[in-house]
Amino acid sequence: MNSDFFKETFMKISEEKRQRIIDAAIAEFSEHGFDSANINTIAQRSGVSVGSLYKYFENKENLFLAIVHVGVEKLKAVLEDIMKSDESLESRIEKIIKAIQVHTRENVHLTKLYNEMTTEDRSNLVWKIVSDMENATAGLYTSIIKEARDKGYVREDLNANLFAFYLDNLFIMLQFSYACEYYKERMKIFVGEDTLNKDELIADQLMKFIKGAFFLK
Amino acid sequence: MNSDFFKETFMKISEEKRQRIIDAAIAEFSEHGFDSANINTIAQRSGVSVGSLYKYFENKENLFLAIVHVGVEKLKAVLEDIMKSDESLESRIEKIIKAIQVHTRENVHLTKLYNEMTTEDRSNLVWKIVSDMENATAGLYTSIIKEARDKGYVREDLNANLFAFYLDNLFIMLQFSYACEYYKERMKIFVGEDTLNKDELIADQLMKFIKGAFFLK
Amino acid sequence: MNSDFFKETFMKISEEKRQRIIDAAIAEFSEHGFDSANINTIAQRSGVSVGSLYKYFENKENLFLAIVHVGVEKLKAVLEDIMKSDESLESRIEKIIKAIQVHTRENVHLTKLYNEMTTEDRSNLVWKIVSDMENATAGLYTSIIKEARDKGYVREDLNANLFAFYLDNLFIMLQFSYACEYYKERMKIFVGEDTLNKDELIADQLMKFIKGAFFLK
Amino acid sequence: MNSDFFKETFMKISEEKRQRIIDAAIAEFSEHGFDSANINTIAQRSGVSVGSLYKYFENKENLFLAIVHVGVEKLKAVLEDIMKSDESLESRIEKIIKAIQVHTRENVHLTKLYNEMTTEDRSNLVWKIVSDMENATAGLYTSIIKEARDKGYVREDLNANLFAFYLDNLFIMLQFSYACEYYKERMKIFVGEDTLNKDELIADQLMKFIKGAFFLK
DNA sequence: AATGAATGAGCATTCATTCAT
DNA sequence: TATGAATGAATGCTCATTCAT
């Protein structure tokens, strides 16, 4: 963990307690946003006193940033894992789509938090944490696309940077559509009520969409 | 205007005063988010007393919802205007992209507000307002795509609903990338610092991306 | 009143309410010192809501400074009134002593506050307010002493500045001895339990002490 | 040491550690006042755990009182040393003035603490500790003055108790003027900026002032 | 005996909402 | 109808004190 946001003491407590705090904070922040999130509630939810919380984190903002950091690292790990294999662009994209479906469902709060972050006043600070990941994935996408283009696997006339951008846009919206109430409702309009059972359809069609965009026919 | 969110009195005041209130509220809510937005500040900014504000709107939430409603209607008008022409799918998509670029720049606050809305807590209420528009656009996209598919203009194997969904996803992210700090920063990673001067490139490549996804070659 | 410390709104309320707030604040601050003084208690004591208090004063510190200012102005008025007459040094000193006895008893809280002030961390800020008075009285004392010296009424070998300093020191201690618990107890050691009935003795002997110090015999 | 304020355990630790605690406490209390003084900071400053501190002292108040006691004893020693010689009143006063100048500069914290003590709230408790010294010095001053008066060395018409009182008042103010920020600033008004280099002048004039008050001419 | 992590009551300050004028 | 002063509940943060190790 990046210790810019928490004090030494936070690493001295039991792994289990640390996790309880992180979980409670992610839940609270993702449900209410930064301003309305209640530190006292986080303390209660995690079975820790407010005083202790302030022993671990300088203030509310740092707790928030630490939490964001955790979320980012988790997502980064998932994506890098996939991207660093040496499979084809096509199969990597397919894997990412599936991974997003699984990871997002398992980390709904984290994804909500990510959406929350994009609205904050604090986005400059937040940006410092997230940019690391965004840079990493952007770079990966772009280079893989370039490689595929140079090998003649995908159309020549595409701008690798922008295609990577649109690709990532589709992925981000996919995440939100699985986690955030608003986007979940919105997806129902297109997919129907039982979105849960349509994972495969959603993935297949997205794959088709993306392949069409990228590949020669 | 939909009177679910404001009291009769709001329609009795001058158009100009009403607009001042709406503008001030949009600015305040989009800058600080729902919770941190300050009703007293909105009153000041719009040159109206708090007392009056509460004569026009039941409470903070209703003011927010009324504002959201305004934003939605505005966006809806832009989109419907474009979609209701009888041009080809391709040229309509092109027009939407350009329209988003122009409209978003002119209505940064509104777009931020839209992002804000997608955030928890109030999303159920918000959904009631937005669903109307989302349904409309979703329906439009889908039917146009179906039509094009039936006419053999686009690939046969696409699911019109889902392709419409991904299309709209790309549009939403494009809006945010032009208006919200976080997404603006993120776009820079892919496009470089001077995103302002790359409107055409961004539009062209997005067009290429979408055309590839949809069209036969 | 010096408006550096309160907001306009404070002058818009009724004289009576303003006085209640000032009295409550003086009492609270003089009893507990700056840090332990409780704003919520001041609000209650003065029959005003906390919210209102914060409408009148930016924060706790400004309320404190405003209060100090009031006290200083009051004392200043008393002293200047006496010093500006054109009586002899001797009779002016006598009048000051009597005035201190009366004023201090009538403004016990204010005098306690003055003692409190001398200990505060905040003494730089406080100093700005008080220095005005201290400068005024110091100047007055010094010039009167100089005048008396030049006229040959008092000993020639005295340094007017320093004699003014010691004179004022005696006056300050006299005030505290009438108002602050600690100094009251201490005075009893010298004067006996019923200090209350010994005003005259105390004044006479102090007069004798000072006259001896100043005057030729 | 008077064990009313500390537990047995405090005497069982090394002299050096004890001194560290006392020094840290004097510094903290004199810098911030009783309420804002931070026990945890005192623990850190003295390199002792909070737990231990509470093993030595029942609570914050008792630590404060113990500290006050130390300060009082120190001052008492200085004064008694001087007063118990059998020199003349005049030379004893002179010695006290010089001693105050030296001692105060060496024990600024202690003097600030003394001023702090005179403040409300705790003054009853404090009084119990200080009264011992005040009684001693008051008695000493008074008896010496009486003696001098009976011997015809000083004016007959003075009330020994009250003259002792005023004398002590001058001494107290001298101390504060050398140690406490507020009083230091105030002294500058009378003496000018470089008070540091005017020790002799200050002492000489005070001597003159007091001698005038006491002695026949 | 010594430690220092944990506790939670307490307080300054904000702001949605009300209501007398 | 309009005003804006008044309200007071709510919350981030601190620190004296405890107690398991």
Side-chain angles (χ1 to χ4, degrees):
Chain A
M1 287 188 78
N2 182 326
S3 63
D4 284 353
F5 311 118
F6 54 85
K7 302 182 186 173
E8 291 177 25
T9 44
F10 187 52
M11 292 316 284
K12 289 186 187 158
I13 60 179
S14 73
E15 170 61 27
E16 188 260 336
K17 192 190 255 183
R18 218 179 306 142
Q19 200 54 53
R20 262 177 15 233
I21 294 172
I22 291 172
D23 290 343
I26 290 177
E28 181 73 9
F29 280 122
S30 78
E31 279 165 25
H32 304 291
F34 181 81
D35 292 302
S36 293
N38 185 326
I39 290 284
N40 294 276
T41 303
I42 293 175
Q44 271 184 328
R45 283 193 186 199
S46 55
V48 156
S49 70
V50 223
S52 291
L53 230 42
Y54 277 86
K55 281 276 193 310
Y56 308 145
F57 303 93
E58 196 68 34
N59 51 32
K60 191 182 186 181
E61 184 148 316
N62 275 18
L63 172 53
F64 179 69
L65 295 175
I67 287 320
V68 168
H69 185 74
V70 168
V72 165
E73 291 302 302
K74 207 161 179 179
L75 188 54
K76 198 173 155 183
V78 173
L79 294 181
E80 287 188 340
D81 196 44
I82 294 165
M83 296 306 283
K84 277 178 178 156
S85 71
D86 60 349
E87 298 171 70
S88 71
L89 174 57
E90 181 174 343
S91 85
R92 280 198 273 207
I93 290 175
E94 200 167 352
K95 278 196 172 168
I96 288 178
I97 294 172
K98 309 272 189 202
I100 286 175
Q101 291 181 323
V102 173
H103 173 266
T104 303
R105 262 206 251 289
E106 280 171 357
N107 297 278
V108 170
H109 281 317
L110 232 39
T111 310
K112 283 178 176 175
L113 183 65
Y114 181 41
N115 186 25
E116 197 70 54
M117 273 165 32
T118 68
T119 73
E120 287 301 333
D121 250 358
R122 256 152 296 281
S123 57
N124 272 336
L125 271 164
V126 162
W127 182 250
K128 282 187 188 139
I129 304 174
V130 190
S131 58
D132 172 47
M133 181 194 69
E134 297 277 11
N135 267 299
T137 56
L140 271 172
Y141 291 162
T142 305
S143 68
I144 292 166
I145 292 171
K146 269 189 187 139
E147 195 189 313
R149 188 188 55 193
D150 296 342
K151 286 189 182 155
Y153 298 159
V154 303
R155 46 200 295 202
E156 271 183 16
D157 62 339
L158 61 74
N159 176 315
N161 287 301
L162 281 163
F163 268 59
F165 178 51
Y166 303 132
L167 185 67
D168 200 35
N169 285 355
L170 287 170
F171 291 160
I172 286 176
M173 288 298 290
L174 188 64
Q175 283 180 74
F176 292 166
S177 300
Y178 275 111
C180 311
E181 296 313 316
Y182 178 88
Y183 289 112
K184 275 161 80 175
E185 283 302 317
R186 175 175 161 277
M187 182 160 64
K188 285 185 193 161
I189 292 180
F190 293 92
V191 185
E193 276 300 318
D194 56 339
T195 54
L196 289 174
N197 301 315
K198 293 188 172 155
D199 270 16
E200 213 166 324
L201 175 67
I202 290 166
D204 284 352
Q205 288 292 319
L206 181 52
M207 203 53 220
K208 228 172 241 175
F209 189 97
I210 293 170
K211 274 167 67 182
F214 277 97
F215 297 102
L216 305 164
K217 274 153 213 170
Chain B
M1 285 188 77
N2 182 325
S3 63
D4 285 352
F5 312 118
F6 53 85
K7 302 181 185 173
E8 294 177 20
T9 46
F10 187 51
M11 292 315 286
K12 290 186 187 157
I13 61 177
S14 75
E15 169 61 26
E16 188 261 336
K17 193 191 248 184
R18 221 178 303 143
Q19 198 56 50
R20 267 182 3 238
I21 293 172
I22 290 171
D23 289 342
I26 290 176
E28 180 74 8
F29 281 121
S30 79
E31 280 166 23
H32 303 292
F34 180 82
D35 293 302
S36 294
N38 186 326
I39 289 285
N40 291 272
T41 302
I42 293 175
Q44 269 186 329
R45 282 194 188 198
S46 56
V48 157
S49 70
V50 229
S52 293
L53 230 43
Y54 275 84
K55 284 279 192 303
Y56 308 145
F57 304 93
E58 194 67 33
N59 52 32
K60 193 183 186 179
E61 186 149 310
N62 276 18
L63 171 54
F64 179 69
L65 295 175
I67 287 319
V68 167
H69 185 73
V70 168
V72 165
E73 291 301 305
K74 204 163 180 178
L75 187 55
K76 197 171 155 184
V78 173
L79 294 181
E80 288 188 340
D81 196 44
I82 294 167
M83 296 306 283
K84 277 178 179 156
S85 72
D86 61 350
E87 297 172 71
S88 71
L89 174 58
E90 182 173 342
S91 86
R92 280 198 272 207
I93 291 175
E94 201 166 352
K95 278 196 173 168
I96 289 179
I97 294 173
K98 308 271 188 203
I100 286 174
Q101 290 181 324
V102 173
H103 173 266
T104 303
R105 264 207 248 288
E106 280 170 358
N107 297 277
V108 170
H109 282 319
L110 233 39
T111 311
K112 281 182 175 173
L113 185 65
Y114 181 40
N115 187 22
E116 199 68 54
M117 275 165 31
T118 67
T119 278
E120 275 320 280
D121 257 9
R122 252 148 292 283
S123 62
N124 275 335
L125 275 163
V126 161
W127 183 249
K128 286 188 187 136
I129 306 171
V130 191
S131 57
D132 172 47
M133 180 195 68
E134 296 277 10
N135 266 300
T137 56
L140 272 172
Y141 291 161
T142 306
S143 67
I144 294 168
I145 293 171
K146 270 190 186 138
E147 196 189 312
R149 187 187 56 193
D150 295 344
K151 287 188 181 157
Y153 298 158
V154 302
R155 47 200 294 202
E156 272 182 15
D157 61 338
L158 60 74
N159 175 314
N161 287 302
L162 280 164
F163 267 59
F165 178 51
Y166 302 133
L167 185 67
D168 199 34
N169 285 354
L170 286 170
F171 291 160
I172 286 175
M173 288 297 290
L174 188 64
Q175 283 181 73
F176 292 166
S177 301
Y178 275 111
C180 311
E181 296 315 313
Y182 177 86
Y183 289 112
K184 276 161 79 175
E185 283 302 315
R186 174 174 163 276
M187 182 160 63
K188 285 184 194 162
I189 292 181
F190 293 93
V191 185
E193 277 299 318
D194 55 337
T195 55
L196 290 174
N197 301 315
K198 294 189 173 155
D199 271 17
E200 213 166 324
L201 175 67
I202 290 166
D204 285 352
Q205 289 291 318
L206 181 52
M207 203 54 218
K208 227 173 243 175
F209 189 95
I210 293 170
K211 274 167 67 181
F214 278 97
F215 298 102
L216 304 164
K217 274 155 215 173
Chain C
M1 285 186 77
N2 182 327
S3 62
D4 284 353
F5 312 118
F6 54 86
K7 302 183 187 173
E8 291 178 24
T9 45
F10 187 52
M11 292 316 284
K12 288 186 187 159
I13 60 178
S14 74
E15 170 61 26
E16 188 261 335
K17 192 191 254 184
R18 218 179 307 143
Q19 199 54 52
R20 260 175 18 230
I21 293 172
I22 290 172
D23 290 342
I26 290 177
E28 180 72 9
F29 280 123
S30 78
E31 280 164 25
H32 302 292
F34 180 82
D35 292 302
S36 293
N38 185 326
I39 291 284
N40 293 273
T41 302
I42 294 176
Q44 271 184 329
R45 282 193 187 199
S46 54
V48 156
S49 71
V50 226
S52 291
L53 230 42
Y54 277 85
K55 280 277 193 308
Y56 308 145
F57 303 93
E58 195 69 34
N59 50 34
K60 192 183 186 180
E61 184 149 315
N62 275 19
L63 171 54
F64 179 68
L65 295 175
I67 287 321
V68 167
H69 185 74
V70 168
V72 165
E73 290 302 301
K74 206 162 180 178
L75 187 55
K76 197 172 154 184
V78 173
L79 293 182
E80 286 187 342
D81 196 43
I82 294 166
M83 295 307 283
K84 275 174 180 159
S85 73
D86 61 349
E87 297 172 70
S88 72
L89 174 58
E90 181 174 343
S91 85
R92 280 196 273 207
I93 291 173
E94 200 167 353
K95 278 195 173 168
I96 289 178
I97 294 171
K98 308 272 189 204
I100 287 174
Q101 290 180 325
V102 173
H103 172 267
T104 304
R105 262 206 251 290
E106 281 171 357
N107 298 277
V108 171
H109 282 317
L110 233 38
T111 311
K112 283 178 176 177
L113 183 65
Y114 182 41
N115 187 26
E116 197 69 55
M117 273 166 32
T118 69
T119 73
E120 289 300 334
D121 249 358
R122 256 152 295 281
S123 57
N124 272 336
L125 271 165
V126 162
W127 181 250
K128 282 188 189 138
I129 304 174
V130 190
S131 58
D132 172 47
M133 179 193 71
E134 297 278 9
N135 267 299
T137 56
L140 272 173
Y141 291 162
T142 305
S143 69
I144 292 167
I145 292 171
K146 268 188 187 142
E147 195 189 312
R149 187 187 56 192
D150 295 343
K151 285 188 184 156
Y153 298 158
V154 303
R155 47 200 294 202
E156 273 182 16
D157 62 339
L158 61 75
N159 175 315
N161 287 303
L162 280 164
F163 268 60
F165 178 51
Y166 302 133
L167 185 66
D168 199 34
N169 285 354
L170 287 170
F171 291 160
I172 286 175
M173 288 298 289
L174 188 63
Q175 283 180 74
F176 292 165
S177 301
Y178 275 111
C180 310
E181 296 314 315
Y182 178 88
Y183 288 113
K184 275 160 80 175
E185 284 302 315
R186 175 175 162 276
M187 183 160 64
K188 285 184 193 160
I189 293 181
F190 293 92
V191 185
E193 278 299 319
D194 56 339
T195 54
L196 290 174
N197 302 316
K198 293 189 173 155
D199 271 15
E200 212 166 327
L201 175 66
I202 290 166
D204 284 353
Q205 288 293 317
L206 181 52
M207 202 55 219
K208 225 172 245 176
F209 189 97
I210 292 169
K211 274 168 65 183
F214 277 97
F215 297 102
L216 305 164
K217 273 155 214 170
Chain D
M1 285 187 79
N2 182 327
S3 63
D4 284 353
F5 312 117
F6 54 86
K7 302 180 186 173
E8 293 177 21
T9 45
F10 187 52
M11 292 316 284
K12 290 186 186 157
I13 60 177
S14 74
E15 170 62 26
E16 189 261 336
K17 193 191 249 184
R18 221 179 303 143
Q19 198 55 50
R20 268 186 357 242
I21 294 172
I22 290 171
D23 290 342
I26 290 177
E28 181 73 9
F29 280 122
S30 78
E31 279 165 24
H32 303 291
F34 180 81
D35 292 302
S36 294
N38 186 326
I39 291 284
N40 291 272
T41 302
I42 294 175
Q44 270 185 330
R45 282 194 188 200
S46 55
V48 157
S49 71
V50 228
S52 293
L53 231 42
Y54 276 84
K55 283 278 192 303
Y56 307 145
F57 303 93
E58 194 66 33
N59 51 32
K60 192 183 187 180
E61 185 149 312
N62 275 18
L63 171 54
F64 179 69
L65 295 175
I67 286 321
V68 167
H69 185 73
V70 168
V72 165
E73 291 301 304
K74 204 161 181 180
L75 187 55
K76 197 171 155 185
V78 173
L79 293 181
E80 286 188 340
D81 195 44
I82 294 166
M83 295 306 283
K84 277 179 178 155
S85 73
D86 60 350
E87 296 172 72
S88 72
L89 174 57
E90 182 173 342
S91 84
R92 280 197 273 206
I93 291 174
E94 201 166 354
K95 278 196 173 167
I96 289 179
I97 294 172
K98 309 272 189 203
I100 286 174
Q101 291 181 325
V102 173
H103 172 266
T104 304
R105 263 205 250 289
E106 281 170 357
N107 298 277
V108 171
H109 282 319
L110 234 37
T111 312
K112 281 182 176 174
L113 186 65
Y114 182 40
N115 187 24
E116 198 69 54
M117 276 165 29
T118 66
T119 278
E120 274 321 279
D121 256 8
R122 252 148 293 282
S123 61
N124 274 335
L125 275 164
V126 162
W127 182 249
K128 284 187 188 139
I129 306 172
V130 191
S131 57
D132 172 47
M133 180 195 69
E134 296 278 10
N135 267 300
T137 56
L140 271 173
Y141 290 160
T142 306
S143 68
I144 293 167
I145 292 170
K146 269 190 185 138
E147 196 189 312
R149 187 188 55 193
D150 295 343
K151 287 190 182 153
Y153 296 157
V154 303
R155 47 201 292 202
E156 271 182 19
D157 62 339
L158 62 75
N159 174 316
N161 285 304
L162 280 164
F163 268 59
F165 178 51
Y166 303 132
L167 185 66
D168 200 34
N169 285 355
L170 287 169
F171 291 160
I172 286 175
M173 288 297 289
L174 189 63
Q175 282 180 75
F176 292 166
S177 301
Y178 275 111
C180 310
E181 295 315 313
Y182 177 87
Y183 289 113
K184 275 161 80 175
E185 283 301 316
R186 175 175 163 276
M187 181 160 64
K188 284 185 195 162
I189 293 181
F190 294 92
V191 184
E193 278 299 317
D194 57 338
T195 55
L196 290 174
N197 302 316
K198 293 189 173 155
D199 270 18
E200 213 166 323
L201 176 66
I202 290 166
D204 285 353
Q205 290 291 320
L206 181 53
M207 203 54 219
K208 225 173 244 176
F209 189 97
I210 293 170
K211 275 168 64 184
F214 277 97
F215 298 101
L216 305 165
K217 275 155 217 172

